Amino acid sequence: MNEPYLAKPTQQQLAWQDLERGMFCHFGLNTFCNREWGEGSDSPEAFHPAELDARQWVRTAKQAGFRYFMLTAKHHDGFCLWPTKTTSYSVKSSLWRNGEGDVVRECAEACLEEGIGFGIYISPWDRHDPRYPDEAAYDDVYCEQLTELLTSYGELVEVWFDGAGSEGRRYDWPRIMGLVKQYQPNAMVFNMGAPTVRWVGNEDGFAPYPCWNTAEAARVSMFTNDMTAWLPETPDWVPAECPVPIRGNHWFWHPNDETPLRSLEELIDLYERSVGHGATLLLNAAPDSRGLIPDAEVQRMKELGDEIKRRYASPLAESSGGRTVSIRLEREADIHRTVIMEQIELGERVQSYIVEAESKGEWTVIAKGSAIGHKKIDPLILPVRTSHIRLTVLESTLEPHIRSFTVYSDNHSFYEEVTP
Ligand code: FUL
């Protein structure tokens, strides 16, 4: 019998989807010039992060349970955070560490020490480089910069190609992708060229539901509804990543910023609607002009990590299986949320499902949905008191495989009492 074709993730995509949470770090000349988008005319002398400590940045991510860290090695202003050979518009021309520093290296080493993944953002759009208007000449510059980053800083988990400012611009993507494949075959590629990860389409940190892992294109940037033209070797499986700044719409640090930090409630909601919709959350916390992530951001990141732990680290019970997965608790408990994961290495098979709870012999639907994919979190509006709960897959392309079905309660004493 011919089975229907199903897109499947690569081993690298599977590993990346399990990371679930990345911390983005926007840092550069903008940090010192009160800008989000420098025009490429600010002097490198402005760059003087006297207390820069990349370990503090990476520890902030690690302590909050984030499993990878992404640095803006070059933003749209063209200022390079590493001593590139391609331009003098870099840390080399600053007074920081007497022009001998390398922010990318410090971050790469800190990630290695803390044991979390390291990735880089390198903006194709470059507002400084005089060669930018000449497509072929700039492709050479960009490829050289990328090669430096791909070959000098160890294993990269992801390379971020930001579409902003590049609407309508042509780059030599086959050549650029060739470099990534040659030097960092395991790195995820974000949204351009032949991506293995797509932009979710907003900078609000959540994935609209359902967020299937297959897509033929994704939006180029916030500034157009144009869709990216992907290269033919783009895989059919392209999971979504959800970028969002922790402070309003500010990616970079600004002095006396009155834009409020997102509240813990908002962040946990974003987590539940990004990771909980099968995507990955990429939350930005920006270092300030001292070169340190401010205390308030560090604290909020930690609170988020603690809250995710509080809600999701200690399940009441967990099971796995096929079309129906039942859980019997030793006694009744208040269920506050359920989490389902599909065995996505076999493809995304589930098309529709329900979760039911039993009370006095009656079954009631307490959650339902379509896509499951890597993870589906169903927070319940009101807790449900039950000792018997089941997941039923109603529709699926092929035989469903549930990696795990887990129920959680805020009443942790229950867990402590029943667990020896
Ligand atoms: C956007 C950029 O224009 C912002 O400055 C930021 O880097 C964000 C992550 O992507 O497209």
Side-chain angles (χ1 to χ4, degrees), residues 269-323:
D269 172 60
L270 293 182
Y271 168 80
E272 288 176 344
R273 289 189 298 131
S274 54
V275 175
H277 287 179
T280 295
L281 175 64
L282 185 58
L283 179 61
N284 185 79
D288 60 20
S289 56
R290 295 172 304 166
L292 295 171
I293 299 181
D295 290 350
E297 271 84 344
V298 172
Q299 185 54 27
R300 190 52 46 85
M301 289 290 295
K302 188 173 174 312
E303 284 166 10
L304 174 61
D306 290 349
E307 182 61 16
I308 294 173
K309 230 188 257 164
R310 190 187 71 79
R311 291 189 188 196
Y312 297 104
S314 313
L316 280 186
E318 177 165 7
S319 192
S320 59
R323 193 161 292 282

Side-chain angles (χ1 to χ4, degrees), residues 37-175:
W37 277 14
E39 290 169 8
S41 49
D42 293 315
S43 165
E45 282 177 19
F47 187 84
H48 54 82
E51 297 171 52
L52 188 142
D53 181 4
R55 281 180 184 77
Q56 188 247 9
W57 309 356
V58 173
R59 262 199 317 268
T60 301
K62 175 77 185 273
Q63 278 172 1
F66 283 61
R67 301 195 187 98
Y68 65 104
F69 174 92
M70 301 284 305
L71 172 72
T72 51
K74 179 180 90 164
H75 204 250
H76 308 323
D77 55 70
F79 183 76
C80 297
L81 288 181
W82 77 105
T84 173
K85 292 196 179 76
T86 60
T87 173
S88 57
Y89 203 55
S90 82
V91 281
K92 238 179 1 195
S93 303
S94 76
L95 299 174
W96 176 64
R97 309 236 196 283
N98 297 319
E100 285 172 6
D102 182 342
V103 185
V104 180
R105 180 158 320 282
E106 296 194 22
C107 288
E109 287 175 359
C111 286
L112 205 60
E113 267 174 38
E114 291 291 341
I116 69 173
F118 178 51
I120 48 122
Y121 165 116
I122 170 168
S123 171
W125 184 33
D126 189 317
R127 305 179 88 187
H128 174 83
D129 202 288
R131 294 158 288 190
Y132 187 75
D134 178 338
E135 285 183 2
Y138 179 72
D139 278 340
D140 285 346
V141 174
Y142 191 69
C143 284
E144 207 179 322
Q145 294 180 340
L146 183 62
T147 304
E148 290 173 349
L149 292 172
L150 297 175
T151 56
S152 315
Y153 301 99
E155 180 110 4
L156 298 178
V157 77
E158 185 173 342
V159 184
W160 235 76
F161 295 111
D162 186 346
S166 290
E167 298 81 11
R169 165 78 179 220
R170 279 175 314 175
Y171 301 95
D172 189 349
W173 284 113
R175 181 174 166 202

Side-chain angles (χ1 to χ4, degrees), residues 24 26 36-37 72 75-76 121 125 160 162-165 199 203 220-223 243 251-252:
F24 220 162
H26 276 62
E36 281 292 305
W37 277 14
T72 51
H75 204 250
H76 308 323
Y121 165 116
W125 184 33
W160 235 76
D162 186 346
W199 182 37
E203 292 184 352
V220 174
S221 73
M222 292 295 285
F223 315 101
W251 295 96
F252 285 91

